[in-house]
Structures are given as C-alpha cells and as structure tokens.
Amino acid sequence: MHQDNVMEVPLFLLILVTTFIVVGKAVHPGCECLVFSTLYGKEKGTFKSPDFPKPYSPNIDCLLYTFIGNSDEIIELTLTDFDVQKTKFGCIHGDYVKVFMHLESAGVNEYTPWETLLCGRLADIPTVLYSSGPGLVLEFHSGSQTANSTGFSGTFRFIDRKKFRTDGLKLPSTMCDYQFLSSEHSPLYGKFYSPRFPSSYPKNIRCTYRFRARYKERIRVVFEEVALQKGDISCLDRADIIRVYDGKTAADQSITVLCNEGNEIEILSTGSDLFIEFVANSDWPGQGFKARFQFQPSDDNSIDSHSYNRLRTYSSPTETEPNVSETRSSCDIIISSDTNRNGTIMSPSYPSPYPPKTTCRYEFQGRGKERVRIVFQDFNLYHTSEVTKNCENMDSLNAFINIDGRMEKIDNFCGNVLPKPIMSNGPRLKLEFQSLVASRYSRGFKATYSFIENFGITTGTQLQTYPCAFVFNSNESRSGYFHSPNYPGLYPRDTECHYFLYGNASEKIHLHFEYFDVEGVLPCEAVSASDYVEFSNYLTRDRKYSRYCGQLKEFDIESDRKFFRVTFRSNDRLDGTGFNATYHFLDEVESLAKKPSDKSDSPNRKDGLRLLLLLFIFLLTKLGT
Ligand SMILES: *[C@@H]1O[C@H](CO)[C@@H](O)[C@H](O)[C@H]1NC(C)=O
Ligand SMILES: *[C@@H]1O[C@H](CO)[C@@H](O)[C@H](O)[C@H]1NC(C)=O
Ligand SMILES: *[C@@H]1O[C@H](CO)[C@@H](O)[C@H](O)[C@H]1NC(C)=O
Ligand SMILES: *[C@@H]1O[C@H](CO)[C@@H](O)[C@H](O)[C@H]1NC(C)=O
Ligand SMILES: *[C@@H]1O[C@H](CO)[C@@H](O)[C@H](O)[C@H]1NC(C)=O
Ligand SMILES: *[C@@H]1O[C@H](CO)[C@@H](O)[C@H](O)[C@H]1NC(C)=O
C-alpha cells in the first residue's frame, strides 16, 4: 500500500561507479568530476575543496562532486567548514557551490535545474543537505579574482529512504494526499512527512493528511520538526503553510497554522477527525516537516510514554528542587477539558493553612484550539525575608508550558501579591505548588481555570477560519477596544492574533494604544527574537508601517482607508503583558479636521484641495521672506 512519491531513478548509469577522480567530459563538458559512491565500510565519507584548508585557486570553471547511492538510498551531506568568497552581487557573480538535490536523470548539464547556491561562511548556509533520490551533485566554481577563501570540507553518508515513509494510505491518482484510518488491523501510531523530506519539498504543491479515529478515540499529532520559511513574517502572507483543522475538512475550525520553523508542536483533536493541509507556492522551498500521529482513547489523558519521559527528565535539571524530603500528598490532579471546561483549584486545606513540605501538581489538558487560562482569586503564601524575583527557598507556585517538547517554567509566584492571569501556548499547562515552611497565617491560593478558545479576547467577533482572529465592523460598533491575548496577564508564547477592522466606504480607522509592552527591540525582527505588532491597510504586508515592539508610551495610528489590520505575534521566548487599544471609526473628513496641523475650519474639503491650500500658504510665506 505504501507508495513513495519519489520516482525510480535510473541514475548515473553513464557514470562508471568506481570511486575516484574521473577526469573527463562525460557529464558536463569542461567539468572535472569527482565521484563518491562507496564508504568502504565506514559510517561516513569525506569530501573537500581543492587544496583545503589552504585557499583554493581562481578560475576553477567547474568541479563536480557527484554522490551516488543505491536506488533505495538518499544522501546526507554535512558541511563542516565553509568559506567561499561572496561578492556583494550575490553568489552567482562570484565563487559558489551549486547544489543539485533532485536529480531525475543521469548526470547534470547546463540545463539541469539546481536548488540552491551556496557562498559566504558556514553561518550563511544550511549545513546539512539531503537529496530526494540516490544522487546529489555539488558544482564548485571560482572566479578570476584571487581571494584567501579556504573553500569547504564535509562528510557524506547514505540513508535508507524507507525511514521517511509516510505510514498512511496514499489516495490513488494524487501526488500527496494521504488517509490515516484507525482500525483493529492498523497500528495506532505512525509517522508522516512532507514530500521528499528530509530534502526540500517541491514547488507548487498541495498535500492533505486526513485522520479518522474510531468512536471514543482522538488524534494526537506532534510536529517534531517544521522548517518551511525562515523568519517571523505573519502566516497571513506566507506561500508555504501548514493548516490544521479540528474536523474532516478545511471548513472546520482552524486549530493552528504553521509557516516558519518549530519543534515538537503538539495538537489534539476534539473529536475523531483531524485534517491537515500543506500548501507550498514559494520560490524557495524549505525542508518541510516531520510528524508523528497517534490514535488514543478519548479518556486517556496521559501523554504518550515517549514525551512523558521527556517531561520527567527535562523538568528536573532546569529547576532547583527544594532540599526537603517531599511529603507526597494526594494533591496531584490532572484536569481534562473533556470533563470540566472550567472550575476552581486551591492549595491543600484552603482557606485554612496548607501543610509544610508539600508539593502539589495541577496538570491541565485541553484539546482542539483550547488554551488553558488561570485567573487568581486569592494568593497568600508564607514568606519570611523579602520576596525575591525567582522565589528561591520560599513557598511558591510555578507555571510550566510545553516548549520544544519539554515542560519549561514560564513564571513563578510567591509572597502575597495576587498574580496576573496565566495562559498556555497550547493544550497543556502545569502548575506546581511547593510549600517548604508554611505557617498558620498563610491561607494558600485559590484560582479559577478555564479551557478557552478565544484567547481571553472578549471584544469583536471571532473568526473560525484562523486560530486567533477577531473582526470589528463599524456597522456593529463605531468605537470600542481590543487587547492582546490574556491581557492584562502575560501573553502566551507562539501565538499569532489578527484584528480586522472594517469601516464603510467613507470611513477610516483611528487607533489609540493606551498600554503597550511587547517584548523585543527595534526593528522587532526574528534576529533579535522579538515579538511584535504590525499594522496594515491590506491583508498582506504594508511597508508603510514599521513593526512595533518594546515598552512604549501611548500612541495613535490611523488607517488610510476603510480597512485596517493589526497583527500580534509572539515567539517561543520571553513575554510581555501586551497591549490594550481603543478604536474609532471616523468619517474621513472628521479625522482630517482633528489633525493638529490643520488650520482649515471647513470640514468638507477634500484631500487635494487641502494640499493645494497648504502649498499656496507655503508659497506665500516663501515669497514674504
Ligand atoms: C591572504 O592571506 C595572507 C596571509 O594571511 C595575507 O598576507 C594576504 O594579504 C591575504 N591576501 C588577500 C588578497 O587577502
Ligand atoms: C540537603 O540537605 C542535606 C541534609 O540536610 C544536606 O546534607 C545537603 O547538603 C543539602 N543539600 C543542599 C544542596 O542544600
Ligand atoms: C463554567 O462553565 C459553565 C458551563 O459550561 C458555565 O455555565 C459557567 O458560566 C462557567 N463559569 C465560568 C466562571 O466561566
Ligand atoms: C455589518 O457588515 C458586515 C459586512 O458588511 C455584515 O456581514 C454584518 O452582517 C453587518 N452587521 C450588521 C449588524 O449589520
Ligand atoms: C458610514 O457610516 C456613517 C456612520 O454610521 C454614516 O453616517 C455614513 O452615511 C455611512 N456611509 C456609507 C457610505 O454608508
Ligand atoms: C482596555 O481599555 C478599555 C478602554 O480604555 C477599558 O475599558 C478596558 O477595561 C481595558 N481592558 C483591560 C483588561 O484593562
């Protein structure tokens, strides 16, 4: 049943599969050719540029490194050193290494499509390259200018292609549409991959992955690796995207969209269907994704043993465990949204004093697009000395979320200041209450929890087609406010929310941000690991507005026309408390009249007229001086 989507490759039949330097014109006229086809029983082979580590010479017109495996193998190249002179006009105009990863016929010539050009330093390039079939070619070229660049060296090995086979049923006459049905005869778990993974995926494709569980089962999917496009541009603008829906088709509720890079992203279906769509239309395909799935009983809230072990092993070393002999109490609880969508949690014996030397864990397990939100009602823990920021050696409550497959601490609380609300980045959250000392005056804590789908954003109308998007129509309300997810608490990580404001034909939108704290540094880009807020007059990116991040004083911003988009995006590191903004739909003339520079008191003038007037005044004053 399993059918790979890579065609049989009668590769390199022309090339004699011996081993060393074949100088000749067989493949590419004028090219020297090095062939690597055996490892002589070793695990890895090596290759390097001429004279490495001494600088390579100029005028190497073309030197081909040809790697050939068996028909069921792919090739993995790892570049360990890389220094190829980069000119300011790009790789193609200087020295370069051209990479052919998807070879369909024997050899390469000047018409063979190549996938990527490498030049510069090791940090500028992908250091691991994979072919999609049994052949891979590197073409090395150096120009006439001498340089001191040392070239490259690396290792290669052959990998069994079956390791990357999707464990689903490929639908007949489709390129990459798969179905995964739970039955007595099929395994309850497996793997699935983007086409050609771990090599780059083809351009202009659409693949679907449909999961169908049995009654009282749900689907758990973990994207172990996602590498589409680098950077942090909003998924609204992306040509390569993975969309996950909580049902049978793309008409169902959107759980998440992925368009950048990430690891160990966990998804749980609400019911017995899950639908995943992968679309790639960009010119520079990434590596794609690697994921595992599991059909699990709906009432099984435990995490599969694989990640459960990871939870255990990873959570301890990062945290300083208190040096007390723990009194294990019956206070550990697991709360699933299947049984309770909301409720209350408390420290042991609340509101009476909690016992000393106690640890209680509260684990929350949502599904679909649900996030866990905790809102505190009372907080009163014992502390002697001054309360420190990390609550060392004190009674405390710690919050953990799943990041890259391990439970990472996002916050801790101690003393008796009421904490702000907490929100998870996905379906899971863990709280850990630890008492070292306790006293008869400390009540402990009380909080409500809820599994929510609206990210704590209660204004506007939520759209089902995006994981987090809200619409504000002027025909419903001409003014109001909106805020970041979980405001005034810390916003959740790995979250993108859109706010779409629609006016009628003669309106524009005025926003006033009264509070703004979005973690990042200007210009709020991926390199500085910044979260950001972006504005646009379109659904796509608008170069008119630069990104906003940092802690800002109050500010105003206005749309050009009747539509405005505000997008908030957070990454997997550090948080802020977000923003709260008010909006007003203004008649276009109304907003002009409000501008301080406006001296005209005729509210009906149009833009053009105003400009003329200003120009006229300007000329008058010029003439006057
Ligand atoms: C190359 O390196 C040598 C020794 O490091 C140096 O003397 C020489 O000036 C360099 N040449 C160029 C063109 O950078
Ligand atoms: C933990 O307590 C034990 C016994 O009281 C003591 O010997 C040990 O040094 C303590 N360890 C730390 C890290 O404080
Ligand atoms: C808790 O859920 C119930 C039933 O879904 C709902 O009626 C109630 O308003 C919720 N309470 C809170 C505090 O959200
Ligand atoms: C407001 O306008 C939108 C889009 O034009 C429309 O879908 C919606 O039904 C309108 N709402 C009301 C209350 O008229
Ligand atoms: C837009 O809305 C404003 C305020 O409700 C109204 O006065 C105006 O006539 C509307 N314009 C159009 C073109 O519908
Ligand atoms: C956000 O600002 C609005 C308008 O000033 C205010 O009414 C609202 O309470 C604020 N929201 C929060 C959560 O503080």
Side-chain angles (χ1 to χ4, degrees):
M1 274 337 330
H2 297 297
Q3 205 187 333
D4 285 338
N5 42 38
V6 192
M7 36 257 112
E8 273 301 302
V9 190
L11 248 192
F12 306 112
L13 293 178
L14 294 181
I15 301 173
L16 285 179
V17 187
T18 48
T19 36
F20 256 73
I21 306 181
V22 185
V23 184
K25 306 190 181 230
V27 180
H28 190 324
C31 287
E32 269 187 77
C33 189
L34 303 168
V35 178
F36 302 83
S37 64
T38 170
L39 292 169
Y40 302 106
K42 281 184 291 183
E43 202 188 314
K44 281 180 182 177
T46 57
F47 62 95
K48 56 189 172 59
S49 54
D51 302 329
F52 183 87
K54 288 199 226 125
Y56 54 80
S57 48
N59 297 317
I60 299 174
D61 180 35
C62 133
L63 175 60
L64 295 178
Y65 294 74
T66 302
F67 301 86
I68 309 165
N70 295 331
S71 62
D72 56 354
E73 288 175 330
I74 60 170
I75 292 138
E76 179 192 82
L77 291 192
T78 306
L79 289 158
T80 42
D81 295 280
F82 197 84
D83 176 19
V84 171
Q85 185 191 270
K86 183 178 193 166
T87 67
K88 57 176 182 266
F89 306 110
C91 296
I92 194 82
H93 299 291
D95 304 347
Y96 58 77
V97 175
K98 198 181 263 187
V99 187
F100 301 82
M101 294 193 281
H102 309 306
L103 293 170
E104 285 177 20
S105 63
V108 295
N109 59 38
E110 54 269 57
Y111 306 112
T112 310
W114 45 273
E115 278 68 50
T116 180
L117 274 186
L118 309 176
C119 67
R121 297 304 192 113
L122 201 60
D124 305 330
I125 61 161
T127 53
V128 185
L129 301 168
Y130 294 93
S131 66
S132 55
L136 190 151
V137 171
L138 299 181
E139 178 186 329
F140 180 48
H141 170 90
S142 71
S144 56
Q145 298 294 319
T146 51
N148 263 349
S149 301
T150 52
F152 55 87
S153 75
T155 60
F156 68 96
R157 61 185 185 125
F158 303 106
I159 306 178
D160 187 352
R161 197 200 292 174
K162 286 198 287 293
K163 271 178 68 182
F164 301 101
R165 194 170 57 191
T166 290
D167 294 322
L169 181 66
K170 189 158 146 255
L171 300 179
S173 71
T174 65
M175 194 195 153
C176 51
D177 292 335
Y178 289 89
Q179 206 166 44
F180 305 78
L181 300 175
S182 169
S183 79
E184 278 163 31
H185 314 294
S186 58
L188 290 176
Y189 52 86
K191 302 251 185 186
F192 63 105
Y193 303 90
S194 53
R196 291 178 176 168
F197 190 90
S199 191
S200 65
Y201 46 81
K203 291 178 199 173
N204 302 318
I205 50 157
R206 176 177 181 270
C207 304
T208 60
Y209 307 83
R210 262 168 236 269
F211 295 86
R212 192 75 215 266
R214 283 177 291 177
Y215 178 61
K216 287 202 171 168
E217 262 182 3
R218 68 168 44 135
I219 301 122
R220 176 169 183 268
V221 164
V222 177
F223 285 94
E224 296 175 356
E225 275 175 52
V226 175
L228 304 189
Q229 303 286 292
K230 282 198 193 308
D232 62 350
I233 298 175
S234 158
C235 290
L236 272 183
D237 291 1
R238 285 305 174 99
D240 297 354
I241 195 164
I242 300 167
R243 298 190 181 87
V244 184
Y245 300 94
D246 203 4
K248 289 189 177 70
T249 66
D252 287 294
Q253 189 174 62
S254 164
I255 298 183
T256 190
V257 292
L258 305 169
C259 59
N260 299 115
E261 300 173 297
N263 289 309
E264 296 293 322
I265 300 154
E266 185 189 24
I267 286 140
L268 283 158
S269 68
T270 301
S272 53
D273 290 283
L274 190 74
F275 180 69
I276 298 175
E277 186 184 33
F278 170 52
V279 182
N281 289 316
S282 79
D283 285 338
W284 301 105
Q287 198 182 13
F289 66 83
K290 166 185 174 189
R292 62 178 192 266
F293 67 89
Q294 187 184 0
F295 294 108
Q296 62 181 34
S298 306
D299 52 7
D300 175 8
N301 291 309
S302 65
I303 310 154
D304 71 0
S305 56
H306 170 64
S307 82
Y308 186 74
N309 286 333
R310 295 178 64 131
L311 290 187
R312 292 293 150 191
T313 48
Y314 277 88
S315 62
S316 328
T318 49
E319 298 313 313
T320 39
E321 291 285 338
N323 194 6
V324 290
S325 62
E326 221 171 64
T327 313
R328 296 299 299 158
S329 53
S330 56
C331 59
D332 288 356
I333 48 171
I334 294 180
I335 299 170
S336 156
S337 73
D338 294 332
T339 41
N340 288 309
R341 301 294 295 276
N342 58 21
T344 307
I345 53 167
M346 293 171 277
S347 48
S349 329
Y350 181 90
S352 305
Y354 53 85
K357 296 185 182 174
T358 303
T359 300
C360 300
R361 300 191 180 92
Y362 308 80
E363 293 189 37
F364 299 90
Q365 167 69 74
R367 61 198 179 178
K369 72 195 278 186
E370 284 173 350
R371 303 282 181 120
V372 188
R373 191 174 199 225
I374 311 288
V375 180
F376 290 92
Q377 258 77 55
D378 190 13
F379 199 83
N380 180 256
L381 304 191
Y382 175 77
H383 63 105
T384 40
S385 52
E386 205 164 297
V387 170
T388 55
K389 196 160 174 358
N390 53 9
C391 299
E392 254 166 41
N393 301 320
M394 265 180 228
D395 294 1
S396 63
L397 184 70
N398 300 302
F400 301 83
I401 56 168
N402 185 357
I403 291 180
D404 287 356
R406 53 203 144 88
M407 290 309 260
E408 203 171 283
K409 183 150 95 174
I410 47 163
D411 222 335
N412 51 13
F413 311 101
C414 47
N416 48 22
V417 177
L418 194 69
K420 286 181 174 161
I422 308 173
M423 189 180 287
S424 66
N425 62 338
R428 288 180 205 283
L429 179 80
K430 185 174 90 172
L431 295 178
E432 197 169 88
F433 171 66
Q434 251 168 15
S435 76
L436 309 181
V437 192
S439 92
R440 60 198 171 99
Y441 303 109
S442 302
R443 292 187 303 277
F445 74 92
K446 179 183 173 193
T448 56
Y449 65 83
S450 48
F451 293 95
I452 55 172
E453 296 187 339
N454 69 2
F455 295 80
I457 299 166
T458 50
T459 55
T461 309
Q462 188 169 13
L463 295 178
Q464 297 301 301
T465 41
Y466 301 88
C468 178
F470 295 82
V471 165
F472 300 83
N473 273 320
S474 79
N475 60 358
E476 277 148 23
S477 177
R478 293 202 79 210
S479 67
Y481 69 92
F482 59 88
H483 53 65
S484 49
N486 197 38
Y487 186 82
L490 294 175
Y491 49 73
R493 297 188 188 185
D494 297 316
T495 300
E496 175 168 308
C497 292
H498 306 289
Y499 307 84
F500 299 119
L501 297 108
Y502 294 92
N504 71 21
S506 62
E507 288 173 330
K508 61 165 76 183
I509 299 112
H510 179 100
L511 301 181
H512 175 73
F513 282 77
E514 44 197 62
Y515 181 84
F516 194 94
D517 168 26
V518 173
E519 204 280 322
V521 288
L522 288 173
C524 316
E525 311 239 303
V527 283
S528 56
S530 293
D531 304 327
Y532 65 85
V533 170
E534 167 182 286
F535 300 97
S536 177
N537 286 302
Y538 318 97
L539 272 179
T540 54
R541 195 162 185 190
D542 191 344
R543 308 242 164 240
K544 178 174 172 179
Y545 304 95
S546 54
R547 288 177 173 179
Y548 283 63
C549 65
Q551 292 183 325
L552 304 180
K553 292 207 183 80
E554 289 184 51
F555 65 92
D556 292 74
I557 194 155
E558 218 164 71
S559 69
D560 286 346
R561 287 171 297 276
K562 61 178 180 173
F563 172 75
F564 209 36
R565 167 172 70 87
V566 180
T567 293
F568 163 83
R569 189 173 168 111
S570 66
N571 58 24
D572 64 357
R573 273 173 277 177
L574 303 173
D575 320 296
T577 39
F579 63 83
N580 188 10
T582 56
Y583 64 86
H584 289 276
F585 288 94
L586 306 177
D587 292 328
E588 275 197 60
V589 279
E590 192 184 323
S591 82
L592 286 174
K594 271 194 181 160
K595 278 193 184 158
S597 61
D598 188 14
K599 293 184 188 81
S600 156
D601 48 14
S602 159
N604 288 324
R605 268 186 224 283
K606 289 265 176 311
D607 269 3
L609 272 179
R610 280 173 36 76
L611 269 179
L612 274 180
L613 186 69
L614 286 175
L615 192 65
F616 182 62
I617 293 169
F618 173 75
L619 284 176
L620 273 184
T621 46
K622 269 276 174 201
L623 284 175
T625 55

